[in-house]
């Protein structure tokens, strides 16, 4: 291909527009170095496209230039701004932009402060939440310990389970005593009892030598819970009565809810 | 602008010295032309101004890569602006429906309103463009004004790549008659 054909192929226009691959660019640049005519033609094409661009100008927004210079300034913080060579209008514009910038910065500062306030508030809220979560974890840990302990008791062969059955006053009521006959420890599970009136409390009795012996009052819980009651030996049976708050010395027999004999 | 016209060497030296006033001068001289280039490619003036910002930052940062021996500074800036604009349009199109990319290649003969839209005020230039053969006009419009690559146009129109190149050359030669009558 001779030089004129090369020029006429249109490859130089593609080169000037940046439409060639790297291999194409390298080739054209090699040709440019070898042949001044090609270099000259590239310059003419560039000039034509430049003229064409200059004939189709879009007016930039007044703040665009300042915006670009500002971005450069931001990226190269440390250098001093110096629009000295610029005209008066430019100076006024620069001042206006600076004021606008200050106002904006002020706005941003206010926003940040407000945001910081609300962040502080959020941190406090988070701390409160963390506290309450920690409380819940503690509670759950306690409950877990208790359940594990209860499970151990329920599974411990030294404990005798004494089921207490509902009496005519409340036939569906039920409870269970876990009694260790060697250590005399007594645990009670009584979630199957009716909910008592607020001024009343359930009281557990052991029947020993035919006589009722109080082994403690307990707060009703609808969740299955083992209450540690007072120790007792030689019990024949256990019973629960509903009594005035704090319990009584002698059981109110017509308020007996459940009763169970110790299996022999 | 009361400032005297600076030579390319003065401008490049200023940029190499990281003189911001030189970049300001460059913007005053060529910002509008490059904004026109970007706007025709990305469509809206708002997007075009974002493109121009990015392009000027690139010009500022990469001035060491500009080779005065090989080309005109404006051409280098034009390529940077064009590529930024094409990238922006591509990222927008890939976000939207891929189909719109071929719709953009819709072919029509340039009319009065298009010249207004393109900000081509020069009546002589309008007449030369309007007087181009239909396909040369189309190729000039798609490649130069709309920022499609030679390959895009060859793919979309079914014309061989070589034909696209020579037709663009013919169109630019015609334009040269009014732009650079020597």
């Amino acid at each position: 291909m001779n030089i004129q054909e090369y020029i006429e192929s249109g490859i130089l226009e593609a080169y000037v527009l940046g439409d060639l691959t790297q291999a194409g660019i390298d080739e054209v640049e090699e040709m440019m170095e070898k042949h001044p005519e090609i270099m000259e033609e590239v310059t003419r094409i560039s000039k034509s496209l430049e003229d064409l661009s200059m004939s189709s100008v879009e007016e930039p927004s007044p703040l665009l230039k300042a915006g670009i210079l500002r971005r450069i300034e931001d990226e190269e913080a440390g250098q001093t701004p110096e629009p000295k060579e610029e005209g008066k209008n430019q100076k006024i514009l620069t001042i206006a932009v600076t004021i606008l910038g200050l106002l904006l910065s002020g706005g941003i500062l206010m926003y940040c402060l407000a945001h910081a306030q609300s962040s502080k508030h959020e941190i406090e809220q988070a701390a409160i939440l963390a506290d309450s979560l920690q409380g819940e974890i503690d509670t759950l840990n306690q409950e877990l310990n208790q359940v594990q302990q209860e499970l151990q008791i329920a599974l411990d062969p030294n404990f005798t389970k004494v089921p207490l059955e509902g009496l005519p006053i409340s036939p569906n009521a039920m409870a269970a005593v876990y009694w260790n006959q060697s250590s005399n420890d007594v645990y009670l599970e009584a979630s199957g009892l009716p909910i008592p009136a607020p001024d009343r409390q359930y009281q557990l009795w052991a029947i020993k030598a035919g006589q009722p012996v109080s082994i403690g009052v307990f707060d009703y819980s609808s969740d299955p819970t083992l209450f540690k009651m007072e120790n007792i030996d030689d019990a024949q049976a256990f019973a629960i009565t509903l009594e005035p708050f704090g319990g009584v010395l002698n059981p109110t027999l017509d308020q007996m809810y459940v009763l169970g004999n110790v299996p022999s | 602008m009361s400032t005297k016209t600076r030579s390319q060497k003065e401008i490049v030296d200023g940029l190499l010295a990281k003189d911001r006033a030189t970049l300001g001068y460059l913007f005053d001289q060529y910002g509008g032309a490059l904004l026109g280039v970007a706007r025709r490619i990305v469509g809206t003036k708002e997007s075009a101004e974002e493109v121009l910002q990015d392009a000027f930052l690139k010009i500022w940062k990469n001035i060491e890569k500009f080779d005065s021996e090989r080309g005109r500074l404006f051409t280098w800036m034009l390529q940077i602006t064009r590529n930024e604009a094409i990238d922006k349009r591509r990222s927008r199109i890939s976000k939207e429906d891929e189909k719109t990319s071929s719709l953009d290649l819709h072919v029509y003969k340039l009319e009065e309103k298009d010249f207004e839209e393109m900000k081509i005020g020069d009546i002589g230039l309008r007449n030369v463009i309007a007087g181009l053969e239909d396909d040369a006009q189309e190729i000039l419009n798609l490649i130069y004004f709309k920022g499609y690559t030679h390959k895009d146009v060859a793919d979309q129109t079914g014309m061989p790549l070589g034909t696209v190149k020579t037709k663009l050359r013919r169109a630019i030669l015609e334009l040269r008659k009014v732009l650079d009558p020597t």
Side-chain angles (χ1 to χ4, degrees):
Chain A
M1 189 187 276
N2 68 35
I3 291 166
Q4 201 49 40
E5 279 173 7
Y6 192 75
I7 290 173
E8 293 302 328
S9 74
I11 191 173
L12 302 182
E13 281 78 2
Y15 168 76
V16 170
L17 281 169
D19 269 2
L20 294 181
T21 59
Q22 192 55 50
I25 293 170
D26 292 345
E27 179 202 301
V28 169
E29 291 183 345
E30 203 187 315
M31 293 294 279
M32 276 161 67
E33 275 169 30
K34 281 188 196 156
H35 307 285
E37 310 95 292
I38 290 179
M39 174 75 95
E40 202 175 298
E41 184 60 24
V42 165
T43 306
R44 289 194 73 188
I45 294 164
S46 301
K47 185 78 175 53
S48 296
L49 290 179
E50 182 173 336
D51 291 342
L52 184 56
S53 307
M54 296 303 268
S55 308
S56 45
V57 166
E58 177 98 29
E59 202 54 46
S61 310
L63 293 179
L64 184 59
K65 179 182 172 185
I68 290 170
L69 292 173
R70 178 169 282 270
R71 261 180 77 180
I72 286 170
E73 220 168 288
D74 287 349
E75 294 202 4
E76 300 178 358
Q79 287 186 30
T80 47
E82 39 87 41
K84 278 172 199 152
E85 279 189 46
E86 289 161 349
K88 196 180 170 192
N89 284 344
Q90 199 53 52
K91 242 173 214 166
I92 292 168
L93 184 61
T94 309
I95 291 166
V97 168
T98 310
I99 290 169
L100 188 68
L102 284 173
L103 286 174
L104 262 178
S105 320
I108 290 167
L109 186 65
M110 295 297 284
Y111 172 80
C112 288
L113 280 175
H115 200 72
Q117 283 295 330
S118 84
S119 294
K120 197 180 163 208
H121 180 69
E122 277 165 25
I123 289 167
E124 283 166 2
Q125 290 293 311
I128 291 169
L129 181 64
D131 271 358
S132 92
L133 285 176
Q134 188 57 52
E136 266 177 54
I137 290 169
D138 292 346
T139 310
L140 285 172
N141 272 336
Q142 277 172 14
E143 282 175 11
L144 180 64
N145 282 340
Q146 190 171 357
V147 169
Q148 281 172 337
Q149 212 180 345
E150 289 169 7
L151 187 63
Q152 272 177 2
I153 291 161
L155 296 177
D156 188 335
N158 292 320
F159 277 89
T160 304
K161 182 182 180 183
V162 184
L164 310 185
E165 312 270 324
L167 293 171
I169 185 176
S170 177
N172 293 325
M174 57 162 82
V177 165
Y178 295 86
W179 180 36
N180 187 328
Q181 297 191 44
S182 44
S183 69
N184 299 329
D185 285 324
V186 176
Y187 289 88
L188 171 69
E189 201 294 302
S191 59
L193 294 176
I195 300 170
D199 60 339
R200 307 229 127 201
Q201 229 173 355
Y202 284 112
Q203 189 167 7
L204 178 63
W205 305 88
I207 314 301
K208 185 179 173 182
Q211 293 299 315
V213 179
S214 173
I215 50 173
V217 293
F218 58 92
D219 290 325
Y220 170 81
S221 164
S222 60
D223 292 324
T225 311
L226 272 191
F227 295 107
K228 175 86 172 80
M229 305 307 286
E230 293 162 28
N231 286 14
I232 188 80
D233 58 355
D234 296 334
Q236 296 153 321
F238 294 92
I240 293 171
T241 57
L242 189 62
E243 305 291 355
F245 205 86
V248 291
L249 289 176
N250 293 302
T252 311
L253 291 178
D254 62 358
Q255 289 294 308
M256 187 175 286
Y257 276 71
V258 288
L259 171 69
N261 291 315
V262 176
S264 46
Chain B
M1 232 15 85
S2 57
T3 348
K4 76 171 179 74
T5 310
R6 302 190 202 174
S7 71
Q8 173 167 316
K9 188 175 181 311
E10 285 174 306
I11 296 172
V12 173
D13 287 349
L15 292 178
L16 284 170
K18 294 292 167 201
D19 172 33
R20 282 200 289 273
T22 300
L23 193 75
Y25 172 83
L26 206 59
F27 184 90
D28 292 339
Q29 292 291 307
Y30 303 110
L34 295 175
L35 185 63
V37 168
R39 215 265 300 140
R40 286 185 291 267
I41 295 173
V42 296
T44 68
K45 188 170 175 183
E46 199 191 354
S47 300
E49 294 206 329
E50 288 172 23
V51 165
L52 198 63
Q53 279 209 26
D54 293 341
F56 265 83
L57 242 71
K58 248 189 186 156
I59 291 163
W60 177 255
K61 284 182 182 166
N62 293 340
I63 187 65
E64 290 84 3
K65 293 183 190 162
F66 170 67
D67 182 355
S68 289
E69 301 280 297
R70 285 202 174 117
R72 295 172 66 84
L73 179 63
F74 181 83
T75 306
W76 184 68
M77 299 198 307
L78 175 69
Q79 287 174 357
I80 289 177
T81 307
R82 204 173 129 87
N83 287 335
E84 287 286 320
I86 291 171
D87 283 351
K88 190 167 194 81
R89 181 182 58 201
R90 280 192 186 136
S91 72
R92 196 176 56 209
I93 287 169
S94 65
K95 276 183 215 148
E96 294 165 9
D97 191 351
E98 286 289 340
K99 282 177 195 160
T100 47
S101 72
S102 41
L103 286 178
D104 274 354
L105 281 169
H106 174 70
V107 176
Y108 56 88
K109 210 161 158 59
L110 294 172
E111 293 168 2
E112 194 73 5
K113 65 172 173 52
D114 300 312
F115 291 123
E116 291 297 334
E117 169 72 9
M118 287 175 170
K119 306 283 179 192
I120 299 175
D122 186 317
I123 303 294
L125 187 57
R126 285 189 190 191
N127 288 340
V128 174
I129 295 173
L132 291 172
E133 288 170 32
D134 286 4
D135 52 0
Q137 189 186 107
E138 175 193 337
I139 286 170
L140 178 72
N141 184 27
L142 291 175
I143 296 182
Y144 176 72
F145 289 111
K146 296 267 169 65
Y148 290 96
T149 63
H150 285 66
K151 192 172 174 309
D152 287 336
V153 173
D155 290 348
Q156 293 288 330
T157 60
M159 259 183 242
L161 187 57
T163 309
V164 172
K165 280 185 194 160
T166 50
K167 282 189 184 294
L168 180 69
R169 171 161 177 82
R170 298 250 159 263
I172 292 174
L173 283 178
E174 285 301 310
L175 296 184
R176 199 179 283 170
K177 289 177 185 167
V178 277
L179 292 169
D180 185 21
T182 43

mmCIF file of all heavy atoms in Angstrom, chain B residues 100-120:
data_model
loop_
_atom_site.group_PDB
_atom_site.id
_atom_site.type_symbol
_atom_site.label_atom_id
_atom_site.label_comp_id
_atom_site.label_asym_id
_atom_site.label_seq_id
_atom_site.Cartn_x
_atom_site.Cartn_y
_atom_site.Cartn_z
ATOM 1 N N THR B 100 -31.725 -0.358 23.980
ATOM 2 C CA THR B 100 -31.660 1.063 23.664
ATOM 3 C C THR B 100 -30.387 1.408 22.906
ATOM 4 O O THR B 100 -30.359 2.379 22.176
ATOM 5 C CB THR B 100 -31.717 1.921 24.945
ATOM 6 O OG1 THR B 100 -30.818 1.362 25.878
ATOM 7 C CG2 THR B 100 -33.098 1.994 25.500
ATOM 8 N N SER B 101 -29.330 0.590 23.079
ATOM 9 C CA SER B 101 -28.078 0.922 22.408
ATOM 10 C C SER B 101 -28.244 0.868 20.894
ATOM 11 O O SER B 101 -27.674 1.667 20.177
ATOM 12 C CB SER B 101 -26.959 -0.016 22.862
ATOM 13 O OG SER B 101 -27.160 -1.287 22.335
ATOM 14 N N SER B 102 -29.038 -0.085 20.399
ATOM 15 C CA SER B 102 -29.191 -0.119 18.959
ATOM 16 C C SER B 102 -30.230 0.920 18.503
ATOM 17 O O SER B 102 -30.146 1.420 17.392
ATOM 18 C CB SER B 102 -29.565 -1.520 18.475
ATOM 19 O OG SER B 102 -30.489 -2.093 19.329
ATOM 20 N N LEU B 103 -31.181 1.248 19.368
ATOM 21 C CA LEU B 103 -32.142 2.294 19.021
ATOM 22 C C LEU B 103 -31.431 3.627 18.814
ATOM 23 O O LEU B 103 -31.814 4.407 17.952
ATOM 24 C CB LEU B 103 -33.197 2.451 20.126
ATOM 25 C CG LEU B 103 -34.245 1.348 20.193
ATOM 26 C CD1 LEU B 103 -35.192 1.596 21.354
ATOM 27 C CD2 LEU B 103 -35.017 1.253 18.882
ATOM 28 N N ASP B 104 -30.375 3.857 19.594
ATOM 29 C CA ASP B 104 -29.624 5.103 19.471
ATOM 30 C C ASP B 104 -28.989 5.250 18.090
ATOM 31 O O ASP B 104 -28.645 6.341 17.672
ATOM 32 C CB ASP B 104 -28.509 5.155 20.528
ATOM 33 C CG ASP B 104 -29.031 5.704 21.821
ATOM 34 O OD1 ASP B 104 -30.192 6.144 21.853
ATOM 35 O OD2 ASP B 104 -28.293 5.709 22.790
ATOM 36 N N LEU B 105 -28.802 4.109 17.423
ATOM 37 C CA LEU B 105 -28.168 4.147 16.115
ATOM 38 C C LEU B 105 -29.175 4.435 15.003
ATOM 39 O O LEU B 105 -28.852 4.335 13.833
ATOM 40 C CB LEU B 105 -27.465 2.813 15.848
ATOM 41 C CG LEU B 105 -26.127 2.661 16.541
ATOM 42 C CD1 LEU B 105 -25.631 1.230 16.435
ATOM 43 C CD2 LEU B 105 -25.104 3.592 15.915
ATOM 44 N N HIS B 106 -30.359 4.791 15.402
ATOM 45 C CA HIS B 106 -31.407 5.114 14.430
ATOM 46 C C HIS B 106 -30.887 6.133 13.406
ATOM 47 O O HIS B 106 -30.279 7.136 13.756
ATOM 48 C CB HIS B 106 -32.605 5.691 15.194
ATOM 49 C CG HIS B 106 -33.680 6.180 14.308
ATOM 50 N ND1 HIS B 106 -34.460 5.330 13.577
ATOM 51 C CD2 HIS B 106 -34.091 7.432 14.011
ATOM 52 C CE1 HIS B 106 -35.317 6.048 12.875
ATOM 53 N NE2 HIS B 106 -35.114 7.329 13.122
ATOM 54 N N VAL B 107 -31.133 5.848 12.176
ATOM 55 C CA VAL B 107 -30.571 6.669 11.091
ATOM 56 C C VAL B 107 -31.604 7.671 10.566
ATOM 57 O O VAL B 107 -32.739 7.331 10.315
ATOM 58 C CB VAL B 107 -30.143 5.766 9.927
ATOM 59 C CG1 VAL B 107 -29.643 6.622 8.765
ATOM 60 C CG2 VAL B 107 -29.065 4.811 10.372
ATOM 61 N N TYR B 108 -31.192 8.904 10.469
ATOM 62 C CA TYR B 108 -32.071 9.899 9.851
ATOM 63 C C TYR B 108 -31.207 11.000 9.271
ATOM 64 O O TYR B 108 -30.045 11.170 9.646
ATOM 65 C CB TYR B 108 -33.053 10.469 10.876
ATOM 66 C CG TYR B 108 -32.379 11.056 12.089
ATOM 67 C CD1 TYR B 108 -31.983 12.397 12.097
ATOM 68 C CD2 TYR B 108 -32.124 10.273 13.212
ATOM 69 C CE1 TYR B 108 -31.355 12.932 13.205
ATOM 70 C CE2 TYR B 108 -31.482 10.813 14.313
ATOM 71 C CZ TYR B 108 -31.112 12.125 14.311
ATOM 72 O OH TYR B 108 -30.478 12.662 15.380
ATOM 73 N N LYS B 109 -31.796 11.723 8.389
ATOM 74 C CA LYS B 109 -31.065 12.810 7.762
ATOM 75 C C LYS B 109 -31.126 14.028 8.682
ATOM 76 O O LYS B 109 -32.162 14.328 9.282
ATOM 77 C CB LYS B 109 -31.701 13.143 6.412
ATOM 78 C CG LYS B 109 -30.683 13.675 5.436
ATOM 79 C CD LYS B 109 -31.174 13.561 3.996
ATOM 80 C CE LYS B 109 -30.428 14.566 3.137
ATOM 81 N NZ LYS B 109 -28.963 14.395 3.120
ATOM 82 N N LEU B 110 -29.982 14.691 8.851
ATOM 83 C CA LEU B 110 -29.928 15.823 9.778
ATOM 84 C C LEU B 110 -30.756 16.992 9.256
ATOM 85 O O LEU B 110 -30.727 17.305 8.062
ATOM 86 C CB LEU B 110 -28.473 16.263 9.970
ATOM 87 C CG LEU B 110 -27.593 15.237 10.675
ATOM 88 C CD1 LEU B 110 -26.138 15.678 10.636
ATOM 89 C CD2 LEU B 110 -28.039 15.022 12.106
ATOM 90 N N GLU B 111 -31.502 17.593 10.123
ATOM 91 C CA GLU B 111 -32.349 18.724 9.746
ATOM 92 C C GLU B 111 -31.973 19.946 10.574
ATOM 93 O O GLU B 111 -31.154 19.863 11.485
ATOM 94 C CB GLU B 111 -33.826 18.375 10.003
ATOM 95 C CG GLU B 111 -34.330 17.263 9.086
ATOM 96 C CD GLU B 111 -35.673 16.728 9.545
ATOM 97 O OE1 GLU B 111 -36.204 17.254 10.556
ATOM 98 O OE2 GLU B 111 -36.179 15.788 8.911
ATOM 99 N N GLU B 112 -32.656 21.000 10.269
ATOM 100 C CA GLU B 112 -32.433 22.278 10.942
ATOM 101 C C GLU B 112 -32.368 22.110 12.471
ATOM 102 O O GLU B 112 -31.437 22.546 13.135
ATOM 103 C CB GLU B 112 -33.578 23.232 10.568
ATOM 104 C CG GLU B 112 -33.319 24.677 10.912
ATOM 105 C CD GLU B 112 -32.284 25.320 9.976
ATOM 106 O OE1 GLU B 112 -31.845 24.668 8.998
ATOM 107 O OE2 GLU B 112 -31.912 26.453 10.256
ATOM 108 N N LYS B 113 -33.385 21.418 13.018
ATOM 109 C CA LYS B 113 -33.458 21.286 14.479
ATOM 110 C C LYS B 113 -32.272 20.475 15.040
ATOM 111 O O LYS B 113 -31.826 20.705 16.163
ATOM 112 C CB LYS B 113 -34.792 20.659 14.908
ATOM 113 C CG LYS B 113 -35.004 19.235 14.451
ATOM 114 C CD LYS B 113 -36.269 18.666 15.099
ATOM 115 C CE LYS B 113 -36.658 17.287 14.578
ATOM 116 N NZ LYS B 113 -35.629 16.263 14.579
ATOM 117 N N ASP B 114 -31.778 19.532 14.223
ATOM 118 C CA ASP B 114 -30.630 18.755 14.689
ATOM 119 C C ASP B 114 -29.395 19.652 14.803
ATOM 120 O O ASP B 114 -28.619 19.532 15.732
ATOM 121 C CB ASP B 114 -30.336 17.607 13.723
ATOM 122 C CG ASP B 114 -31.522 16.662 13.610
ATOM 123 O OD1 ASP B 114 -32.052 16.277 14.674
ATOM 124 O OD2 ASP B 114 -31.922 16.332 12.484
ATOM 125 N N PHE B 115 -29.243 20.545 13.822
ATOM 126 C CA PHE B 115 -28.099 21.456 13.870
ATOM 127 C C PHE B 115 -28.209 22.387 15.082
ATOM 128 O O PHE B 115 -27.223 22.692 15.749
ATOM 129 C CB PHE B 115 -28.001 22.254 12.573
ATOM 130 C CG PHE B 115 -27.605 21.404 11.397
ATOM 131 C CD1 PHE B 115 -28.392 21.336 10.264
ATOM 132 C CD2 PHE B 115 -26.430 20.657 11.431
ATOM 133 C CE1 PHE B 115 -28.028 20.548 9.189
ATOM 134 C CE2 PHE B 115 -26.060 19.866 10.354
ATOM 135 C CZ PHE B 115 -26.868 19.804 9.225
ATOM 136 N N GLU B 116 -29.456 22.817 15.347
ATOM 137 C CA GLU B 116 -29.682 23.647 16.544
ATOM 138 C C GLU B 116 -29.262 22.847 17.781
ATOM 139 O O GLU B 116 -28.535 23.322 18.643
ATOM 140 C CB GLU B 116 -31.167 24.018 16.670
ATOM 141 C CG GLU B 116 -31.679 24.981 15.609
ATOM 142 C CD GLU B 116 -30.997 26.339 15.656
ATOM 143 O OE1 GLU B 116 -30.527 26.718 16.751
ATOM 144 O OE2 GLU B 116 -30.906 27.011 14.603
ATOM 145 N N GLU B 117 -29.766 21.621 17.819
ATOM 146 C CA GLU B 117 -29.494 20.719 18.934
ATOM 147 C C GLU B 117 -27.984 20.478 19.094
ATOM 148 O O GLU B 117 -27.456 20.427 20.193
ATOM 149 C CB GLU B 117 -30.245 19.406 18.664
ATOM 150 C CG GLU B 117 -29.918 18.224 19.554
ATOM 151 C CD GLU B 117 -30.473 18.385 20.963
ATOM 152 O OE1 GLU B 117 -31.249 19.330 21.178
ATOM 153 O OE2 GLU B 117 -30.089 17.582 21.835
ATOM 154 N N MET B 118 -27.304 20.370 17.948
ATOM 155 C CA MET B 118 -25.861 20.113 17.992
ATOM 156 C C MET B 118 -25.045 21.369 18.239
ATOM 157 O O MET B 118 -23.826 21.301 18.346
ATOM 158 C CB MET B 118 -25.401 19.538 16.649
ATOM 159 C CG MET B 118 -25.817 18.115 16.425
ATOM 160 S SD MET B 118 -25.329 17.686 14.763
ATOM 161 C CE MET B 118 -25.627 15.933 14.784
ATOM 162 N N LYS B 119 -25.732 22.499 18.298
ATOM 163 C CA LYS B 119 -25.061 23.788 18.526
ATOM 164 C C LYS B 119 -24.146 24.166 17.361
ATOM 165 O O LYS B 119 -23.096 24.782 17.575
ATOM 166 C CB LYS B 119 -24.249 23.779 19.836
ATOM 167 C CG LYS B 119 -25.037 23.367 21.053
ATOM 168 C CD LYS B 119 -25.903 24.494 21.527
ATOM 169 C CE LYS B 119 -26.705 24.044 22.753
ATOM 170 N NZ LYS B 119 -27.767 24.973 23.093
ATOM 171 N N ILE B 120 -24.519 23.704 16.160
ATOM 172 C CA ILE B 120 -23.736 24.127 15.003
ATOM 173 C C ILE B 120 -24.391 25.383 14.455
ATOM 174 O O ILE B 120 -25.451 25.332 13.826
ATOM 175 C CB ILE B 120 -23.680 23.025 13.934
ATOM 176 C CG1 ILE B 120 -23.000 21.787 14.522
ATOM 177 C CG2 ILE B 120 -22.906 23.513 12.701
ATOM 178 C CD1 ILE B 120 -22.994 20.603 13.603
#
